[in-house]
Amino acid sequence: MEQIIINGGKKLKGSVCISGAKNAALAIIPATILAEGVSTIENLPNINDIKHLVIILESLGAKCSFLNETTLKIDATNIKKYRAEGDSVRKIRASYYLLGALLSRFKAAEVEMPGGCDFGGRPTDQHEKGFKLLGATTTMSHGLIKTEALNGLQGSNILLDVVSVGATINVMLAAVLAEGSTTIENCAREPHVVDTANLLNMMGADIKGAGTNVIRINGVKKLKGVNYTIIPDQIEAGTYMIAAAITGGDITVKNIIPQHMDPLTAKLVEMGCEVFEGDDYIRVRGSENLTAANVRTLAYPGFPTDLQPQITALMATTDGIGVITESVWDNRFQYVSELNRLGANITVDGRIAVTKGPSHLTGAKVTAIDLRAGAALVLAALNAEGMTVIDKAVQVGRGYENIEQKLKGLGADITVI
Ligand code: UD1
Protein backbone atom coordinates (compact mmCIF):
# COMPACT_ATOMS: atom_id res chain seq x y z
CA MET A 1 0.00 0.00 0.00
CA GLU A 2 1.55 3.29 -1.13
CA GLN A 3 -1.32 5.76 -1.19
CA ILE A 4 -4.91 5.91 -0.06
CA ILE A 5 -7.12 8.25 -2.08
CA ILE A 6 -10.48 9.22 -0.62
CA ASN A 7 -13.24 11.44 -1.97
CA GLY A 8 -14.94 12.41 1.26
CA GLY A 9 -18.31 13.71 2.33
CA LYS A 10 -20.32 10.47 2.11
CA LYS A 11 -22.34 9.18 5.06
CA LEU A 12 -21.12 5.61 5.62
CA LYS A 13 -23.86 3.03 6.08
CA GLY A 14 -24.08 -0.75 6.47
CA SER A 15 -22.17 -3.37 8.40
CA VAL A 16 -18.52 -4.32 8.69
CA CYS A 17 -16.94 -7.48 10.08
CA ILE A 18 -13.97 -6.98 12.40
CA SER A 19 -10.79 -9.05 12.02
CA GLY A 20 -8.72 -10.78 14.70
CA ALA A 21 -6.79 -8.60 17.15
CA LYS A 22 -3.39 -7.50 15.85
CA ASN A 23 -1.82 -6.98 19.26
CA ALA A 24 -3.10 -10.34 20.54
CA ALA A 25 -1.81 -12.12 17.43
CA LEU A 26 1.60 -10.48 17.79
CA ALA A 27 1.97 -11.98 21.28
CA ILE A 28 0.28 -15.31 20.58
CA ILE A 29 2.42 -16.28 17.57
CA PRO A 30 5.70 -15.94 19.56
CA ALA A 31 4.01 -17.78 22.47
CA THR A 32 3.63 -20.89 20.28
CA ILE A 33 7.44 -21.22 20.40
CA LEU A 34 7.06 -22.45 23.99
CA ALA A 35 5.66 -25.80 22.84
CA GLU A 36 7.82 -28.29 20.99
CA GLY A 37 4.85 -29.13 18.79
CA VAL A 38 2.26 -27.90 16.32
CA SER A 39 -0.20 -25.08 17.00
CA THR A 40 -2.93 -23.76 14.73
CA ILE A 41 -3.96 -20.14 15.26
CA GLU A 42 -7.27 -18.98 13.79
CA ASN A 43 -8.83 -15.55 13.19
CA LEU A 44 -5.47 -13.89 12.51
CA PRO A 45 -5.70 -10.49 10.85
CA ASN A 46 -4.34 -10.54 7.30
CA ILE A 47 -1.86 -7.68 7.82
CA ASN A 48 1.85 -7.00 7.26
CA ASP A 49 3.00 -7.26 10.88
CA ILE A 50 1.83 -10.91 10.98
CA LYS A 51 3.76 -11.65 7.80
CA HIS A 52 6.92 -10.20 9.38
CA LEU A 53 6.44 -12.41 12.42
CA VAL A 54 6.04 -15.51 10.25
CA ILE A 55 9.29 -14.66 8.43
CA ILE A 56 11.03 -14.34 11.82
CA LEU A 57 9.67 -17.66 13.14
CA GLU A 58 10.76 -19.43 9.95
CA SER A 59 14.25 -17.92 10.27
CA LEU A 60 14.43 -19.53 13.73
CA GLY A 61 13.55 -22.96 12.30
CA ALA A 62 9.76 -23.14 12.72
CA LYS A 63 7.63 -24.49 9.86
CA CYS A 64 4.76 -22.11 9.16
CA SER A 65 1.95 -22.55 6.65
CA PHE A 66 -1.24 -20.56 6.12
CA LEU A 67 -4.21 -22.97 5.88
CA ASN A 68 -6.24 -20.00 4.65
CA GLU A 69 -5.81 -16.19 4.87
CA THR A 70 -6.53 -16.12 8.60
CA THR A 71 -5.36 -19.51 9.87
CA LEU A 72 -1.71 -20.26 10.49
CA LYS A 73 -0.19 -23.62 11.36
CA ILE A 74 3.10 -23.32 13.25
CA ASP A 75 5.33 -26.32 13.88
CA ALA A 76 7.81 -25.13 16.50
CA THR A 77 9.36 -28.59 17.05
CA ASN A 78 12.61 -27.92 15.24
CA ILE A 79 13.41 -24.42 16.43
CA LYS A 80 17.07 -24.61 17.41
CA LYS A 81 18.15 -20.97 17.07
CA TYR A 82 17.53 -18.40 19.73
CA ARG A 83 18.85 -15.39 17.78
CA ALA A 84 16.25 -13.33 15.88
CA GLU A 85 17.59 -10.70 13.50
CA GLY A 86 16.88 -9.10 10.14
CA ASP A 87 14.58 -6.56 8.51
CA SER A 88 11.36 -8.07 9.86
CA VAL A 89 12.63 -8.00 13.46
CA ARG A 90 13.59 -4.33 13.11
CA LYS A 91 10.27 -3.37 11.50
CA ILE A 92 7.81 -4.44 14.20
CA ARG A 93 7.52 -3.55 17.86
CA ALA A 94 6.28 -6.99 18.88
CA SER A 95 9.60 -8.67 18.10
CA TYR A 96 10.35 -7.99 21.78
CA TYR A 97 8.01 -10.91 22.63
CA LEU A 98 10.65 -13.20 21.11
CA LEU A 99 12.86 -12.31 24.09
CA GLY A 100 10.38 -13.74 26.61
CA ALA A 101 9.43 -16.69 24.41
CA LEU A 102 12.97 -17.77 23.45
CA LEU A 103 14.25 -17.16 27.00
CA SER A 104 11.46 -19.40 28.28
CA ARG A 105 12.27 -22.25 25.90
CA PHE A 106 16.09 -22.00 25.58
CA LYS A 107 16.99 -20.02 28.75
CA ALA A 108 18.70 -17.60 26.34
CA ALA A 109 17.54 -15.16 23.68
CA GLU A 110 19.18 -12.68 21.31
CA VAL A 111 16.88 -10.29 19.49
CA GLU A 112 17.67 -7.21 17.41
CA MET A 113 16.21 -3.96 18.76
CA PRO A 114 12.54 -3.80 17.73
CA GLY A 115 10.97 -1.08 15.55
CA GLY A 116 7.31 -0.04 15.36
CA CYS A 117 5.57 3.30 15.76
CA ASP A 118 7.49 6.28 17.15
CA PHE A 119 5.63 7.73 20.15
CA GLY A 120 8.77 9.12 21.83
CA GLY A 121 10.74 6.87 24.22
CA ARG A 122 9.70 3.21 24.24
CA PRO A 123 11.82 1.77 27.09
CA THR A 124 11.99 -1.95 27.91
CA ASP A 125 13.38 -1.57 31.45
CA GLN A 126 10.33 -3.30 32.98
CA HIS A 127 10.75 -6.33 30.68
CA GLU A 128 14.39 -6.53 31.80
CA LYS A 129 13.49 -6.03 35.46
CA GLY A 130 11.09 -8.99 35.24
CA PHE A 131 13.64 -11.20 33.48
CA LYS A 132 16.28 -10.28 36.10
CA LEU A 133 14.03 -11.24 39.01
CA LEU A 134 13.43 -14.59 37.26
CA GLY A 135 17.23 -15.12 37.10
CA ALA A 136 18.21 -13.79 33.66
CA THR A 137 20.82 -11.17 32.81
CA THR A 138 20.10 -8.79 29.94
CA THR A 139 22.73 -6.85 28.00
CA MET A 140 22.70 -4.69 24.87
CA SER A 141 25.44 -4.49 22.27
CA HIS A 142 25.68 -3.87 18.51
CA GLY A 143 21.90 -3.34 18.29
CA LEU A 144 21.21 -6.76 19.83
CA ILE A 145 19.40 -7.39 23.12
CA LYS A 146 20.76 -10.54 24.77
CA THR A 147 19.20 -12.19 27.77
CA GLU A 148 20.28 -15.45 29.40
CA ALA A 149 19.60 -17.43 32.53
CA LEU A 150 22.72 -19.55 33.11
CA ASN A 151 21.13 -21.34 36.08
CA GLY A 152 17.65 -21.57 34.57
CA LEU A 153 14.63 -19.43 35.43
CA GLN A 154 13.18 -19.40 38.95
CA GLY A 155 9.77 -18.06 39.98
CA SER A 156 9.77 -14.70 41.75
CA ASN A 157 7.62 -11.79 42.98
CA ILE A 158 7.70 -8.98 40.44
CA LEU A 159 6.14 -5.56 40.96
CA LEU A 160 6.14 -3.62 37.70
CA ASP A 161 6.88 0.11 38.16
CA VAL A 162 4.57 1.08 35.29
CA VAL A 163 1.54 -0.62 33.77
CA SER A 164 3.00 -2.12 30.59
CA VAL A 165 1.30 -4.48 28.15
CA GLY A 166 4.61 -5.61 26.69
CA ALA A 167 6.32 -6.21 30.03
CA THR A 168 3.30 -8.05 31.47
CA ILE A 169 3.13 -10.44 28.50
CA ASN A 170 6.91 -10.89 28.22
CA VAL A 171 7.33 -11.70 31.92
CA MET A 172 4.37 -14.07 31.72
CA LEU A 173 6.01 -15.85 28.75
CA ALA A 174 9.29 -16.16 30.66
CA ALA A 175 7.64 -17.36 33.89
CA VAL A 176 5.35 -20.15 32.62
CA LEU A 177 8.22 -22.65 32.23
CA ALA A 178 10.25 -21.32 35.21
CA GLU A 179 10.73 -23.41 38.33
CA GLY A 180 8.24 -22.50 41.08
CA SER A 181 5.70 -19.71 41.41
CA THR A 182 5.72 -16.15 40.07
CA THR A 183 3.53 -13.23 41.05
CA ILE A 184 3.38 -10.22 38.75
CA GLU A 185 1.83 -7.12 40.35
CA ASN A 186 0.66 -3.89 38.68
CA CYS A 187 -0.08 -5.83 35.47
CA ALA A 188 -1.68 -4.50 32.32
CA ARG A 189 -5.28 -5.74 31.96
CA GLU A 190 -5.74 -5.30 28.20
CA PRO A 191 -7.85 -7.91 26.36
CA HIS A 192 -4.74 -9.16 24.55
CA VAL A 193 -3.00 -9.89 27.87
CA VAL A 194 -5.98 -12.10 28.77
CA ASP A 195 -6.01 -13.70 25.30
CA THR A 196 -2.32 -14.62 25.58
CA ALA A 197 -2.85 -16.07 29.06
CA ASN A 198 -5.82 -18.11 27.76
CA LEU A 199 -3.66 -19.53 24.95
CA LEU A 200 -0.84 -20.41 27.37
CA ASN A 201 -3.29 -22.09 29.78
CA MET A 202 -4.70 -24.12 26.90
CA MET A 203 -1.10 -25.15 26.10
CA GLY A 204 -0.81 -26.47 29.68
CA ALA A 205 0.40 -23.41 31.63
CA ASP A 206 -0.97 -22.56 35.08
CA ILE A 207 -1.78 -18.80 35.01
CA LYS A 208 -4.41 -17.17 37.19
CA GLY A 209 -5.59 -13.56 37.40
CA ALA A 210 -5.02 -12.33 33.81
CA GLY A 211 -7.37 -9.36 33.37
CA THR A 212 -6.75 -8.19 36.95
CA ASN A 213 -3.67 -6.31 38.14
CA VAL A 214 -2.11 -9.38 39.82
CA ILE A 215 -1.16 -12.45 37.79
CA ARG A 216 -0.06 -15.65 39.54
CA ILE A 217 1.83 -18.31 37.65
CA ASN A 218 2.87 -21.79 38.75
CA GLY A 219 5.71 -22.92 36.51
CA VAL A 220 5.15 -26.15 34.56
CA LYS A 221 7.69 -28.47 32.90
CA LYS A 222 6.31 -28.61 29.38
CA LEU A 223 3.67 -27.06 27.11
CA LYS A 224 1.86 -28.63 24.16
CA GLY A 225 0.73 -27.25 20.79
CA VAL A 226 -2.98 -26.32 20.51
CA ASN A 227 -5.68 -24.90 18.23
CA TYR A 228 -6.61 -21.39 19.30
CA THR A 229 -8.88 -18.61 17.99
CA ILE A 230 -7.82 -14.99 18.52
CA ILE A 231 -10.22 -12.35 19.92
CA PRO A 232 -11.57 -9.55 17.69
CA ASP A 233 -9.57 -6.34 17.31
CA GLN A 234 -10.71 -3.64 19.75
CA ILE A 235 -8.89 -0.87 17.87
CA GLU A 236 -10.11 -1.79 14.39
CA ALA A 237 -13.67 -1.98 15.80
CA GLY A 238 -13.25 1.43 17.45
CA THR A 239 -11.99 2.97 14.22
CA TYR A 240 -15.13 1.87 12.33
CA MET A 241 -17.35 3.10 15.20
CA ILE A 242 -15.69 6.50 14.85
CA ALA A 243 -16.16 6.29 11.05
CA ALA A 244 -19.92 6.22 11.66
CA ALA A 245 -19.66 9.24 13.97
CA ILE A 246 -17.39 11.35 11.76
CA THR A 247 -19.46 10.83 8.59
CA GLY A 248 -22.86 11.21 10.29
CA GLY A 249 -23.47 7.63 9.14
CA ASP A 250 -24.97 4.45 10.54
CA ILE A 251 -22.60 1.48 10.88
CA THR A 252 -23.03 -1.91 12.56
CA VAL A 253 -19.63 -3.20 13.66
CA LYS A 254 -19.88 -7.00 13.79
CA ASN A 255 -17.91 -9.87 15.33
CA ILE A 256 -16.67 -7.91 18.34
CA ILE A 257 -16.74 -8.10 22.14
CA PRO A 258 -18.86 -5.03 23.00
CA GLN A 259 -17.47 -4.83 26.56
CA HIS A 260 -13.99 -4.12 25.13
CA MET A 261 -15.48 -1.01 23.52
CA ASP A 262 -17.01 0.50 26.70
CA PRO A 263 -14.65 3.51 27.07
CA LEU A 264 -15.24 4.53 23.43
CA THR A 265 -18.97 3.77 23.50
CA ALA A 266 -19.37 6.04 26.54
CA LYS A 267 -17.49 8.88 24.81
CA LEU A 268 -19.50 8.59 21.58
CA VAL A 269 -22.76 8.70 23.55
CA GLU A 270 -21.48 11.73 25.49
CA MET A 271 -20.73 13.46 22.17
CA GLY A 272 -24.26 12.83 20.88
CA CYS A 273 -24.10 9.54 18.90
CA GLU A 274 -26.73 6.85 19.28
CA VAL A 275 -25.16 3.51 20.17
CA PHE A 276 -26.97 0.13 20.27
CA GLU A 277 -25.22 -2.94 21.68
CA GLY A 278 -25.90 -6.59 20.87
CA ASP A 279 -24.12 -9.75 22.04
CA ASP A 280 -21.38 -9.50 19.43
CA TYR A 281 -22.02 -6.23 17.60
CA ILE A 282 -22.40 -2.50 18.14
CA ARG A 283 -24.38 -0.14 15.91
CA VAL A 284 -23.35 3.53 15.89
CA ARG A 285 -25.52 6.26 14.42
CA GLY A 286 -23.78 9.60 13.97
CA SER A 287 -25.42 13.00 13.78
CA GLU A 288 -24.56 16.38 12.34
CA ASN A 289 -24.74 17.98 15.79
CA LEU A 290 -22.04 16.18 17.77
CA THR A 291 -20.34 18.11 20.57
CA ALA A 292 -16.71 17.89 21.67
CA ALA A 293 -15.72 16.14 24.92
CA ASN A 294 -12.66 15.62 27.06
CA VAL A 295 -10.69 12.39 26.64
CA ARG A 296 -7.80 11.03 28.70
CA THR A 297 -5.97 7.93 27.52
CA LEU A 298 -5.24 5.31 30.14
CA ALA A 299 -4.34 1.63 30.40
CA TYR A 300 -7.35 -0.73 30.04
CA PRO A 301 -10.17 -0.35 31.02
CA GLY A 302 -9.43 3.34 30.36
CA PHE A 303 -9.69 5.00 26.96
CA PRO A 304 -7.12 3.26 24.66
CA THR A 305 -4.18 5.35 23.49
CA ASP A 306 -4.41 3.46 20.17
CA LEU A 307 -7.76 5.23 19.52
CA GLN A 308 -6.48 8.65 20.54
CA PRO A 309 -5.58 9.91 17.02
CA GLN A 310 -8.94 8.70 15.66
CA ILE A 311 -11.04 10.40 18.39
CA THR A 312 -8.97 13.58 17.95
CA ALA A 313 -9.91 13.60 14.25
CA LEU A 314 -13.57 13.22 15.21
CA MET A 315 -13.34 15.91 17.87
CA ALA A 316 -11.99 18.40 15.29
CA THR A 317 -15.24 18.12 13.36
CA THR A 318 -17.55 18.49 16.38
CA ASP A 319 -18.93 21.61 18.00
CA GLY A 320 -17.00 23.26 20.84
CA ILE A 321 -13.66 22.75 22.56
CA GLY A 322 -12.29 19.25 23.15
CA VAL A 323 -9.31 18.44 25.36
CA ILE A 324 -7.41 15.23 24.68
CA THR A 325 -4.80 14.21 27.27
CA GLU A 326 -2.32 11.49 26.32
CA SER A 327 -1.27 9.73 29.53
CA VAL A 328 0.50 6.69 28.06
CA TRP A 329 3.05 8.00 25.55
CA ASP A 330 5.38 11.04 25.66
CA ASN A 331 4.98 12.13 22.06
CA ARG A 332 1.80 10.90 20.38
CA PHE A 333 0.47 14.07 18.76
CA GLN A 334 2.99 14.31 15.91
CA TYR A 335 0.22 13.63 13.39
CA VAL A 336 -1.80 16.73 14.39
CA SER A 337 -0.08 18.96 11.81
CA GLU A 338 -1.40 16.58 9.10
CA LEU A 339 -4.97 16.88 10.43
CA ASN A 340 -4.57 20.67 10.46
CA ARG A 341 -3.55 20.46 6.76
CA LEU A 342 -7.09 19.15 6.17
CA GLY A 343 -8.52 22.19 7.95
CA ALA A 344 -8.70 21.02 11.57
CA ASN A 345 -8.01 23.56 14.30
CA ILE A 346 -5.94 21.65 16.85
CA THR A 347 -3.22 23.00 19.12
CA VAL A 348 -0.80 20.82 21.06
CA ASP A 349 1.08 21.53 24.24
CA GLY A 350 3.12 18.53 25.37
CA ARG A 351 0.74 15.70 26.18
CA ILE A 352 -2.43 17.79 25.68
CA ALA A 353 -4.22 18.60 22.43
CA VAL A 354 -7.10 21.06 22.19
CA THR A 355 -9.58 20.96 19.32
CA LYS A 356 -11.74 23.96 18.39
CA GLY A 357 -14.63 23.01 16.18
CA PRO A 358 -16.57 22.40 14.19
CA SER A 359 -13.93 22.66 11.44
CA HIS A 360 -14.96 22.25 7.83
CA LEU A 361 -12.38 19.75 6.54
CA THR A 362 -11.25 19.87 2.90
CA GLY A 363 -9.18 17.30 1.01
CA ALA A 364 -5.39 17.73 0.72
CA LYS A 365 -2.19 15.69 0.38
CA VAL A 366 -1.09 14.30 3.76
CA THR A 367 1.29 11.69 5.17
CA ALA A 368 0.63 8.80 7.56
CA ILE A 369 3.49 9.02 10.06
CA ASP A 370 2.41 5.88 11.90
CA LEU A 371 -0.36 3.28 11.98
CA ARG A 372 -3.07 4.97 14.06
CA ALA A 373 -2.08 8.43 12.79
CA GLY A 374 -2.84 7.00 9.35
CA ALA A 375 -6.23 5.77 10.58
CA ALA A 376 -7.01 9.27 11.89
CA LEU A 377 -6.22 10.69 8.44
CA VAL A 378 -8.49 8.13 6.76
CA LEU A 379 -11.32 9.16 9.10
CA ALA A 380 -10.73 12.87 8.55
CA ALA A 381 -10.59 12.26 4.76
CA LEU A 382 -13.96 10.46 4.89
CA ASN A 383 -15.43 13.62 6.41
CA ALA A 384 -13.54 16.12 4.23
CA GLU A 385 -14.97 17.78 1.15
CA GLY A 386 -13.10 16.71 -2.00
CA MET A 387 -10.09 14.48 -2.52
CA THR A 388 -7.47 13.54 0.08
CA VAL A 389 -4.32 11.65 -0.84
CA ILE A 390 -2.62 9.88 2.07
CA ASP A 391 1.03 9.01 1.48
CA LYS A 392 2.93 6.23 3.31
CA ALA A 393 -0.27 4.20 3.39
CA VAL A 394 1.82 1.13 4.19
CA GLN A 395 1.54 2.29 7.81
CA VAL A 396 -2.23 1.84 7.68
CA GLY A 397 -1.84 -1.62 6.13
CA ARG A 398 0.14 -2.67 9.23
CA GLY A 399 -3.07 -2.69 11.26
CA TYR A 400 -6.16 -2.70 9.06
CA GLU A 401 -7.06 -5.78 7.03
CA ASN A 402 -8.76 -5.02 3.69
CA ILE A 403 -9.48 -1.43 4.63
CA GLU A 404 -10.31 -0.58 1.01
CA GLN A 405 -12.97 -3.30 0.66
CA LYS A 406 -14.36 -2.75 4.14
CA LEU A 407 -14.83 1.01 3.61
CA LYS A 408 -16.13 0.52 0.06
CA GLY A 409 -18.70 -1.88 1.49
CA LEU A 410 -19.92 0.99 3.68
CA GLY A 411 -20.23 3.33 0.71
CA ALA A 412 -16.88 5.17 0.84
CA ASP A 413 -15.18 6.40 -2.33
CA ILE A 414 -11.70 5.01 -1.63
CA THR A 415 -8.86 3.71 -3.78
CA VAL A 416 -5.68 2.12 -2.49
CA ILE A 417 -2.60 2.24 -4.69
C1 UD1 B 1 1.43 -1.94 23.34
C2 UD1 B 1 0.81 -1.86 21.98
C3 UD1 B 1 0.66 -0.39 21.56
C4 UD1 B 1 -0.10 0.40 22.62
C5 UD1 B 1 0.49 0.18 24.01
C6 UD1 B 1 -0.35 0.80 25.12
C7 UD1 B 1 1.59 -3.90 20.95
C8 UD1 B 1 2.46 -4.54 19.93
N1 UD1 B 1 1.66 -2.57 21.04
O1 UD1 B 1 2.73 -1.37 23.25
O2 UD1 B 1 -0.04 -0.35 20.32
O3 UD1 B 1 -0.06 1.78 22.31
O4 UD1 B 1 0.61 -1.23 24.28
O5 UD1 B 1 -1.64 0.28 25.11
O6 UD1 B 1 0.84 -4.56 21.64
N2 UD1 B 1 7.07 1.51 29.67
C9 UD1 B 1 8.17 1.70 30.47
N3 UD1 B 1 9.05 0.64 30.60
C10 UD1 B 1 8.85 -0.56 29.96
C11 UD1 B 1 7.72 -0.71 29.15
C12 UD1 B 1 6.83 0.33 29.02
O7 UD1 B 1 8.38 2.75 31.06
O8 UD1 B 1 9.67 -1.46 30.11
C13 UD1 B 1 6.10 2.62 29.54
C14 UD1 B 1 6.02 3.16 28.10
O9 UD1 B 1 7.00 4.13 27.87
C15 UD1 B 1 4.61 3.71 28.06
C16 UD1 B 1 3.82 2.76 28.99
O10 UD1 B 1 4.80 2.11 29.79
O11 UD1 B 1 4.60 4.99 28.62
C17 UD1 B 1 2.97 1.72 28.28
O12 UD1 B 1 3.77 0.97 27.40
P1 UD1 B 1 3.42 -0.54 27.03
O13 UD1 B 1 2.08 -0.90 27.58
O14 UD1 B 1 4.59 -1.38 27.39
O15 UD1 B 1 3.31 -0.49 25.45
P2 UD1 B 1 3.78 -1.58 24.41
O16 UD1 B 1 3.62 -2.94 24.98
O17 UD1 B 1 5.12 -1.22 23.83
Side-chain angles (χ1 to χ4, degrees), residues 7 9-14 382 404-414:
N7 278 304
K10 297 190 169 48
K11 290 182 195 291
L12 300 193
K13 289 200 170 121
L382 290 168
E404 184 180 17
Q405 286 74 18
K406 288 188 185 186
L407 283 174
K408 269 190 177 148
L410 295 167
D413 180 347
I414 174 174

Coordinates of all heavy atoms in Angstrom, one line a residue, residues 7 9-14 382 404-414:
N7 N -12.4 10.3 -1.7 CA -13.2 11.4 -2.0 C -14.3 11.5 -0.8 O -15.1 10.6 -0.8 CB -13.9 11.3 -3.3 CG -13.0 11.7 -4.4 OD1 -12.6 12.9 -4.4 ND2 -12.7 10.8 -5.4
G9 N -17.0 13.1 2.3 CA -18.3 13.7 2.3 C -19.5 12.8 2.2 O -20.6 13.2 2.2
K10 N -19.2 11.4 2.2 CA -20.3 10.5 2.1 C -20.6 9.9 3.5 O -19.7 9.6 4.3 CB -19.9 9.3 1.2 CG -19.7 9.8 -0.2 CD -19.5 8.7 -1.2 CE -19.5 9.2 -2.6 NZ -18.6 10.4 -2.8
K11 N -21.9 9.8 3.8 CA -22.3 9.2 5.1 C -22.2 7.7 4.9 O -22.8 7.1 4.0 CB -23.8 9.5 5.3 CG -24.1 10.9 5.7 CD -25.6 11.0 6.0 CE -26.1 12.4 6.0 NZ -25.7 13.3 7.0
L12 N -21.3 7.1 5.8 CA -21.1 5.6 5.6 C -22.3 4.8 6.3 O -22.7 5.2 7.4 CB -19.8 5.2 6.2 CG -18.5 5.9 5.6 CD1 -17.3 5.2 6.1 CD2 -18.6 5.9 4.1
K13 N -22.7 3.8 5.6 CA -23.9 3.0 6.1 C -23.7 1.5 5.8 O -23.1 1.2 4.8 CB -25.1 3.5 5.4 CG -25.6 4.8 5.8 CD -27.0 5.1 5.5 CE -27.4 6.4 6.2 NZ -27.9 7.4 5.3
G14 N -24.1 0.7 6.7 CA -24.1 -0.7 6.5 C -23.4 -1.4 7.6 O -23.3 -0.9 8.7
L382 N -12.6 10.9 5.2 CA -14.0 10.5 4.9 C -14.9 11.6 5.2 O -16.0 11.7 4.5 CB -14.3 9.3 5.8 CG -13.6 7.9 5.4 CD1 -13.8 6.9 6.6 CD2 -14.1 7.4 4.1
E404 N -9.7 -1.1 2.2 CA -10.3 -0.6 1.0 C -11.7 -1.2 0.8 O -12.7 -0.6 0.7 CB -9.4 -0.8 -0.2 CG -10.0 -0.2 -1.5 CD -9.1 -0.5 -2.7 OE1 -8.2 -1.4 -2.6 OE2 -9.2 0.2 -3.7
Q405 N -11.7 -2.6 0.9 CA -13.0 -3.3 0.7 C -14.0 -3.0 1.8 O -15.2 -2.8 1.6 CB -12.7 -4.8 0.6 CG -12.1 -5.3 -0.7 CD -10.6 -5.0 -0.8 OE1 -10.0 -4.7 0.2 NE2 -10.1 -5.0 -2.0
K406 N -13.4 -3.0 3.0 CA -14.4 -2.8 4.1 C -15.0 -1.4 4.0 O -16.2 -1.2 4.3 CB -13.6 -2.9 5.5 CG -13.3 -4.4 5.8 CD -12.7 -4.6 7.2 CE -12.3 -6.0 7.4 NZ -11.9 -6.3 8.8
L407 N -14.2 -0.3 3.7 CA -14.8 1.0 3.6 C -15.7 1.1 2.4 O -16.8 1.8 2.4 CB -13.7 2.1 3.6 CG -13.1 2.4 5.0 CD1 -12.0 3.3 4.9 CD2 -14.2 2.9 6.0
K408 N -15.3 0.5 1.3 CA -16.1 0.5 0.1 C -17.5 -0.1 0.4 O -18.5 0.4 -0.1 CB -15.4 -0.2 -1.1 CG -14.6 0.6 -1.9 CD -14.1 -0.1 -3.2 CE -13.3 0.8 -4.0 NZ -12.3 0.1 -4.8
G409 N -17.5 -1.2 1.1 CA -18.7 -1.9 1.5 C -19.6 -1.0 2.3 O -20.8 -1.2 2.3
L410 N -19.1 0.1 2.9 CA -19.9 1.0 3.7 C -20.3 2.2 2.9 O -20.9 3.1 3.4 CB -19.2 1.4 5.0 CG -18.9 0.3 6.0 CD1 -17.8 0.8 7.0 CD2 -20.2 -0.1 6.6
G411 N -19.8 2.2 1.6 CA -20.2 3.3 0.7 C -19.2 4.4 0.5 O -19.4 5.4 -0.1
A412 N -17.9 4.2 1.0 CA -16.9 5.2 0.8 C -16.3 5.1 -0.6 O -16.3 4.1 -1.2 CB -15.8 4.9 1.8
D413 N -15.9 6.3 -1.0 CA -15.2 6.4 -2.3 C -13.7 6.4 -2.0 O -13.1 7.4 -1.7 CB -15.6 7.7 -3.0 CG -14.9 7.9 -4.4 OD1 -14.0 7.1 -4.7 OD2 -15.4 8.8 -5.1
I414 N -13.1 5.2 -2.1 CA -11.7 5.0 -1.6 C -11.0 4.1 -2.6 O -11.5 3.2 -3.1 CB -11.6 4.4 -0.2 CG1 -10.2 4.0 0.2 CG2 -12.5 3.1 -0.1 CD1 -10.0 3.6 1.6

